[in-house]
Structures are given as structure tokens and as C-alpha cells.
Amino acid sequence: MKILVTGGLGFIGSHTVVELQNEGFEVVIIDNCSNSSPEVLQGITKITGKEPIFEQFDLREKSKVQDFFKKHQDISGVIHFAASKAVGESVENPLLYYENNLSTLIYLLQELSGKTSANFIFSSSCTVYGQADELPITENAPVKVAESPYGNTKQIGEEIIRDTCNVSKNLNAISLRYFNPIGAHPSAEIGELPIGVPQNLVPYITQTAIGLREQLSVFGDDYPTSDGTCIRDYIHVVDLAKAHVVALQRLISSNNTNTNYEVFNVGTGTGSTVLEVIQSFEKVSNQKLNYKIVGRREGDVTAAFANTQKANEELGWKAKSTLDDSLGSAWKWEQKVRS
């Protein structure tokens, strides 16, 4: 069975490609390499023993999307990762995020809506909840006004998919609302390698520890949390990748006949503060991290961590790795990349 993975050379996408190939799926990747590298193919191939098909182009080019689906008419499912994903950058450049994150989704759904049967998994985010009223966050929590354009593109994206599924009964879709992916494959063949200055906490931590960055900025220590820093639910990227595979299998087997659109939280169910993440990293790496408390960052919520009961029970999936496991694998990957 052939599965398209957009953004399949990116951090989460590449790990999902590995897990798909390990389960026997044939994978085709589309990636424009704006925040990734074709060299990631080598890591995927080393891990799985099989090189996925790769086409490099920008999904914003509608004609190329149409040409791709004419060429690959046997695509049975799509896992859509390709998107811009930095909260801070989205606040500074909202139009880039609306164009890149929404037009690409629409073009893919237009192609899938014409198929007799199609399966679609959307890379959504816990940002749709904003600052939730209750913790841990369930899928029934209200979707609030987004704190950032990035978060808003995820909200709008989910609405687009839901509305499309309402009229396209041939389309089965799942949105996975995941929390904060970190870590790297245990082989250290693939991992998170942002181009330019990292926008996420853990790669900034590892790059600071290795000497690539002078200092880590911790945005705010006056939040109403145990140590004043923000709380997030940090999930190992391999656990997250496996969630995509079981979600795809659920769609293929049509285990749920009640609806053709579902949402699931994907996290560990445990929240960690920024300072707790730093302490965990210092423990597993035996490195003293140079960090400084600075002012709050626009668009950040105080706390977000998942209630994962629905995914645990209905998908049969559960996160297995600890925070220490995740940070240890991230450090192993950083050391290999810089060696």
C-alpha cells in the first residue's frame, strides 16, 4: 500500500516514514527542503534498508500537486506534515503561515476528494486549545481563539478537513493534536536539525550544550507554575511517529463506522516546566547548560499537557519513552551531527 508523506524529510515526518516502512508500507515523500535536507533520505535508508521515493517541490504550486497525483494514482493515504511551524515566526509573518499551511492542505484535499476512497492524517497541534480551562486537556476541550497565526492555521485546517469530510464520504480523516515532539531515533541516523536558529526548546538546548549557541533564553519565570516557567507535554518523536501509523491503520481498516473524521490528542499526559527540561538534560548529558531568564515570548500559553485516554483506548497507542529518554536521544543525535 502506497502512502504519501508530505514534509517527509522533516523532523516528525522522517521518523514517521521509518515507522511506516517498518510496517511494510510503500512510502512516497514530497518535501521542498525549506527546513530539511535530502540527506535525511540516507538516514531513513540506513535504518529501514529501503529508500523511499522522493519528489522535491513546493506544495503551494498547485499544478505540481495535480501532476503528482496523476503520476501516483495508487496513493491510498496521505499523512500531511508539510507546514511552517514556529509560533514566534508566525506572529512576525502571519501571511506566510496562512499561505503555506492552508493552501497546501486545500490542494491535497481537492485531489483526494476525487478518489473512490482516500485516507488522510493531519498534523495538528495542541495550540488549538490555547490556554485550556482545565488540565490535562481532553479532545472535548473548547477550541479557543488562537494565541498565534500558527495555532490559527491548525484550527482552520481542522475546520477545512471536517467540512470536506462532511460532503466527501469517500474521505476518511484523523487530526492528531500533538503536544511537543522532542528526541531522535535511537540509531542517531535521523533527528531534529533545524536550518538556522532553532525555534523549539530542545534543539536550542542541545546546540547550546555543544557550543553552537552561546546561551539559551528561557522566556519568562513569572508564570503561575511550580518554578515560574511554562509547562509543556514533551513526547518522544518515535512514540509520536508510531501514533501516525496506528491512526492510518485505523482508517484503512475502517474501525470506526460512526464518523469519517476524528481527532486524537497525542502526548505523554505529563507536563514538564522549561527548567525541569533543562535539569533533565543536564542529568542525562552530564553538561552544565548556559541559560538566562528573559521576558515572556508573545504567543506562549502558561501550561498545556494532554489527557491521552482516547488515543490509549481507541487507537491502542501509548507513549513509552520518558523525558530523560527523549533528551538523551536528542543529545546523542546532536553529538553525531557535530562530530
Side-chain angles (χ1 to χ4, degrees):
M1 185 171 287
K2 185 184 288 187
I3 305 300
L4 166 63
V5 180
T6 72
L9 298 184
F11 176 43
I12 307 170
S14 61
H15 287 83
T16 301
V17 169
V18 165
E19 298 304 322
L20 287 168
Q21 292 196 159
N22 285 343
E23 290 295 318
F25 289 99
E26 181 182 1
V27 177
V28 185
I29 294 171
I30 297 175
D31 201 306
N32 67 0
C33 295
S34 62
N35 197 32
S36 60
S37 168
E39 294 178 3
V40 176
L41 281 172
Q42 299 174 16
I44 293 171
T45 304
K46 284 183 179 179
I47 296 169
T48 66
K50 182 179 181 181
E51 183 174 346
I53 301 167
F54 170 54
E55 296 201 17
Q56 183 173 345
F57 66 88
D58 196 316
L59 287 166
R60 288 176 291 184
E61 299 182 61
K62 185 175 182 177
S63 62
K64 291 190 176 180
V65 177
Q66 293 171 329
D67 291 342
F68 173 87
F69 278 92
K70 289 176 183 175
K71 179 180 176 182
H72 297 278
Q73 295 186 17
D74 54 345
I75 294 287
S76 298
V78 175
I79 303 180
H80 182 41
F81 294 107
S84 301
K85 61 182 179 65
V87 169
E89 183 186 48
S90 77
V91 173
E92 297 170 0
N93 196 348
L95 290 180
L96 168 68
Y97 274 67
Y98 286 117
E99 179 195 23
N100 195 40
N101 293 7
L102 298 179
S103 65
T104 56
L105 171 63
I106 291 168
Y107 297 158
L108 289 168
L109 291 176
Q110 285 174 336
E111 295 302 313
L112 294 179
S113 295
K115 286 181 167 289
T116 304
S117 177
N119 302 298
F120 188 81
I121 295 176
F122 180 55
S123 169
S124 192
S125 167
C126 65
T127 58
V128 302
Y129 299 117
Q131 182 55 68
D133 297 325
E134 295 182 5
L135 295 170
I137 303 168
T138 73
E139 289 84 353
N140 294 324
V143 173
K144 294 191 173 183
V145 174
E147 299 281 343
S148 67
Y150 164 74
N152 203 26
T153 64
K154 294 303 182 183
Q155 290 185 12
I156 297 169
E158 287 194 12
E159 292 169 357
I160 290 170
I161 298 166
R162 184 195 63 217
D163 292 343
T164 305
C165 285
N166 282 340
V167 297
S168 300
K169 298 305 179 183
N170 62 307
L171 178 64
N172 297 301
I174 288 175
S175 289
L176 295 180
R177 293 173 176 169
Y178 36 84
F179 285 66
N180 292 67
I182 61 172
H185 195 271
S187 67
E189 293 293 345
I190 56 174
E192 188 169 11
L193 189 62
I195 295 173
V197 179
Q199 299 290 330
N200 296 326
L201 175 62
V202 171
Y204 213 112
I205 285 176
T206 58
Q207 288 189 14
T208 301
I210 207 83
L212 191 62
R213 307 290 164 193
E214 182 179 349
Q215 188 177 65
L216 169 72
S217 294
V218 176
F219 296 105
D221 65 348
D222 58 348
Y223 288 95
T225 63
S226 60
D227 58 28
T229 61
C230 291
I231 294 174
R232 297 291 183 268
D233 186 337
Y234 295 94
I235 179 173
H236 197 297
V237 66
V238 173
D239 283 335
L240 177 57
K242 290 179 178 179
H244 289 80
V245 177
V246 296
L248 179 66
Q249 291 168 333
R250 178 178 177 86
L251 292 176
I252 291 170
S253 62
S254 299
N255 280 346
N256 188 353
T257 58
N258 297 320
T259 179
N260 61 336
Y261 178 61
E262 297 178 283
V263 297
F264 292 93
N265 285 339
V266 186
T268 66
T270 301
S272 302
T273 69
V274 174
L275 290 182
E276 286 171 342
V277 173
I278 290 172
Q279 292 160 6
S280 174
F281 175 79
E282 290 181 334
K283 179 177 68 175
V284 299
S285 67
N286 200 29
Q287 300 286 316
K288 189 66 179 174
L289 197 66
N290 182 27
Y291 68 91
K292 179 183 179 181
I293 306 294
V294 298
R296 292 187 181 191
R297 180 175 58 181
E298 188 176 359
D300 279 341
V301 300
T302 300
F305 57 96
N307 180 317
T308 61
Q309 183 177 356
K310 184 179 178 183
N312 299 160
E313 294 178 356
E314 297 188 26
L315 295 179
W317 169 92
K318 188 174 184 178
K320 296 180 180 179
S321 297
T322 66
L323 181 62
D324 287 355
D325 294 334
S326 300
L327 291 167
S329 65
W331 180 232
K332 180 181 177 182
W333 160 251
E334 187 71 51
Q335 289 175 297
K336 180 183 179 183
V337 170
R338 308 302 170 189
S339 62

